[in-house]
């Protein structure tokens, strides 16, 4: 299965924030949309980072509640790991595991077309496995 199929199934809604949005505002977005990370998009519409719940928790542990007052740019991960719609789900699982990341922006022709999470990847792998099991059952049942 390819990433494009995952995006088609889950949708390609992108929740984003601006670099100068407060961390508190980003936490409200995370809560409202029930997601674990937001893309940080600059004024030209280009992704410049990603800010996750984990980033926020670490900042609060270091700086207390004052961490919520700063801009998203202070906490975001600037080195984005991206994927293409043509990448396979198995490849995505390997990258996410190896790089210890949970969210990956999907880029096509220089433009972000969606974001997939480790949960999306795991669900796709389970769906594939279930389809394979059902196919094998049908094959075995047809042999009898």
């Amino acid at each position: 299965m390819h990433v494009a199929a995952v995006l088609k199934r889950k949708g390609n809604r992108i929740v984003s924030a601006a670099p100068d949005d407060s961390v508190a505002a980003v936490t409200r977005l995370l809560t409202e949309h029930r997601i674990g990370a937001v893309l940080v998009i600059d004024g030209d519409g280009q992704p410049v980072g990603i800010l996750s719940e984990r980033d926020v928790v670490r900042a609060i542990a270091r700086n207390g509640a004052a961490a919520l007052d700063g801009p998203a740019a202070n906490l975001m991960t600037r080195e984005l790991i991206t994927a293409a719609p043509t990448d396979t789900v198995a490849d995505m699982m390997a990258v996410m595991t190896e790089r210890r990341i949970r969210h990956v922006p999907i880029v096509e022709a220089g433009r972000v077309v969606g974001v997939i999470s480790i949960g999306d990847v795991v669900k796709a792998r389970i769906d594939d496995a279930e389809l394979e099991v059902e196919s094998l059952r049908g094959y075995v049942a047809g042999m009898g």
Side-chain angles (χ1 to χ4, degrees), residues 39-75:
L39 274 180
V40 181
I41 307 286
D42 69 11
D44 296 326
Q46 293 301 307
V48 293
I50 192 164
L51 183 59
S52 71
E53 292 170 323
R54 184 181 285 178
D55 297 325
V56 174
V57 168
R58 286 179 179 152
I60 292 171
R62 279 191 312 269
N63 304 318
L68 297 172
D69 297 329
N74 286 356
L75 301 184

Side-chain angles (χ1 to χ4, degrees), residues 73-133:
N74 286 356
L75 301 184
M76 71 184 186
T77 299
R78 295 175 187 275
E79 181 187 329
L80 286 175
I81 307 297
T82 63
T86 54
D87 290 339
T88 67
V89 170
D91 289 342
M92 290 309 313
M93 185 173 275
V95 167
M96 291 171 132
T97 300
E98 178 183 313
R99 301 298 294 264
R100 299 181 55 94
I101 56 176
R102 296 178 181 183
H103 302 86
V104 176
I106 309 305
V107 178
E108 184 174 41
R111 175 175 96 74
V112 177
V113 295
V115 176
I116 62 168
S117 71
I118 191 67
D120 299 326
V121 170
V122 169
K123 182 179 181 339
R125 293 290 293 202
I126 290 170
D127 290 349
D128 278 350
E130 287 175 352
L131 181 61
E132 186 174 348
V133 166

